[in-house]
């Protein structure tokens, strides 16, 4: 049995893809770029986020991208609490794993303060032993944060599992030498996930079959 399970947050525990797409299209309109379909968004979403904005036609430097980043986070923080819900089975899965004595870590590319606030809002903060976010609003160093966390807490990653919804989550899992399962219900489509790993599960409840 695994002793540690890392969970990504956005697109893994909360279903925020539609809101992110809505905000992206507001920003596209400001920059006179065409609307992006959900299908296209999920086919190009990547980290660092700067790269998929460039893929959409944004012609901005890394420095100017901070303006776009600030706009996105302003709208996200304004609307997420009323528009974004937990995925089905999140509470059931977290509660079951917690009762089994598994150490749960939420590790996200969200800002630390925002992540803590969101987990408390959705009333799932009590299930996590550790909540680990970033100090960088543009999500450049999730991998580094994961590596530092594992070293600091002396975690045996042969007994760790990482659960996410993006190719970057697999990269983070590989960086800390943890097994990884990915969900196709978030920001990345199933086809892309299967191109990089066979470990794709359709629903969080399927995770229990892999762990228990």
């Amino acid at each position: 049995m695994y002793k540690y399970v890392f969970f990504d947050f956005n697109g893994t525990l909360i279903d925020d893809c539609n809101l992110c797409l809505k905000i992206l299209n507001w920003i596209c309109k400001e920059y006179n770029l065409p609307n992006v379909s959900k299908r296209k968004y999920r086919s190009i979403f990547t980290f660092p986020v700067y790269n998929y904005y460039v893929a959409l036609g944004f012609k901005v430097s890394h420095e100017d991208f901070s303006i776009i980043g600030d706009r996105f986070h302003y709208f996200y923080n304004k609307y997420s609490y009323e528009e974004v819900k937990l995925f089905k089975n999140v509470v059931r899965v977290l509660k079951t794993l917690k009762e089994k004595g598994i150490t749960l870590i939420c590790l996200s590319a969200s800002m630390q303060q925002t992540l803590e606030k969101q987990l408390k809002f959705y009333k799932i903060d009590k299930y996590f032993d550790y909540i680990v976010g970033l100090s960088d609003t543009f999500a450049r160093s999730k991998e580094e944060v994961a590596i530092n966390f594992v070293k600091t807490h002396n975690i045996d990653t042969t007994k760790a599992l990482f659960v996410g919804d993006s190719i970057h989550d697999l990269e983070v899992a590989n960086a800390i030498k943890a097994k990884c399962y990915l969900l196709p219900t978030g920001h990345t489509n199933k086809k892309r996930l299967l191109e990089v790993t066979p470990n794709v599960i359709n629903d969080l409840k399927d995770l229990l079959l892999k762990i228990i």
Side-chain angles (χ1 to χ4, degrees):
M1 178 186 287
Y2 294 101
K3 290 182 63 176
Y4 311 93
V5 178
F6 290 80
F7 283 94
D8 170 56
F9 185 60
N10 303 86
T12 301
L13 300 180
I14 59 167
D15 187 5
D16 64 350
C17 183
N18 287 337
L19 176 60
C20 291
L21 178 61
K22 181 191 292 188
I23 297 170
L24 172 62
N25 280 323
W26 288 343
I27 295 173
C28 282
K29 185 175 181 179
E30 292 176 358
Y31 283 77
N32 297 312
L33 291 170
N35 264 23
V36 180
S37 68
K38 187 173 183 178
R39 181 176 180 179
K40 181 173 182 178
Y41 171 79
R42 288 177 15 101
S43 72
I44 65 171
F45 178 78
T46 190
F47 284 93
V49 292
Y50 173 82
N51 289 355
Y52 82 81
Y53 275 85
V54 170
L56 289 171
F58 285 82
K59 300 185 187 309
V60 292
S61 65
H62 281 283
E63 291 74 19
D64 292 336
F65 183 64
S66 64
I67 298 172
I68 294 175
D70 288 342
R71 291 287 284 163
F72 180 91
H73 288 286
Y74 167 78
F75 286 123
Y76 188 91
N77 291 331
K78 182 176 181 179
Y79 294 107
S80 62
Y81 295 102
E82 60 187 68
E83 294 193 21
V84 175
K85 307 295 182 185
L86 289 173
F87 277 111
K88 185 180 179 181
N89 295 314
V90 166
V91 173
R92 172 190 168 191
V93 169
L94 295 179
K95 185 173 184 290
T96 301
L97 296 180
K98 189 70 175 176
E99 289 173 348
K100 294 294 182 180
I102 296 173
T103 298
L104 301 183
I105 305 108
C106 186
L107 194 148
S108 170
S110 296
M111 289 287 287
Q112 179 73 29
Q113 185 176 6
T114 300
L115 181 61
E116 291 175 359
K117 184 178 179 181
Q118 285 182 299
L119 289 172
K120 186 174 182 179
F121 175 80
Y122 293 108
K123 299 179 181 179
I124 57 173
D125 55 316
K126 62 185 177 183
Y127 297 112
F128 288 99
D129 298 277
Y130 300 97
I131 298 170
V132 187
L134 303 184
S135 59
D136 186 312
T137 57
F138 308 114
R140 297 189 185 110
S141 54
K142 183 176 176 181
E143 186 175 308
E144 183 180 351
V145 169
I147 292 171
N148 289 338
F149 177 83
V150 165
K151 288 181 179 178
T152 300
H153 295 276
N154 196 29
I155 290 176
D156 179 1
T157 55
T158 64
K159 298 178 181 179
L161 176 67
F162 198 104
V163 184
D165 73 303
S166 72
I167 293 171
H168 185 54
D169 288 323
L170 177 62
E171 293 169 346
V172 173
N174 288 340
I176 62 173
K177 297 181 172 57
K179 186 162 185 176
C180 182
Y181 282 103
L182 298 177
L183 291 151
T185 49
H187 294 264
T188 312
N189 64 40
K190 189 172 185 177
K191 179 178 179 293
R192 292 178 66 206
L193 298 181
L194 286 172
E195 286 172 353
V196 295
T197 178
N199 296 330
V200 177
I201 56 176
N202 292 319
D203 189 280
L204 267 176
K205 72 177 186 301
D206 297 334
L207 187 65
L208 298 179
L209 301 175
K210 306 291 184 180
I211 295 178
I212 298 173

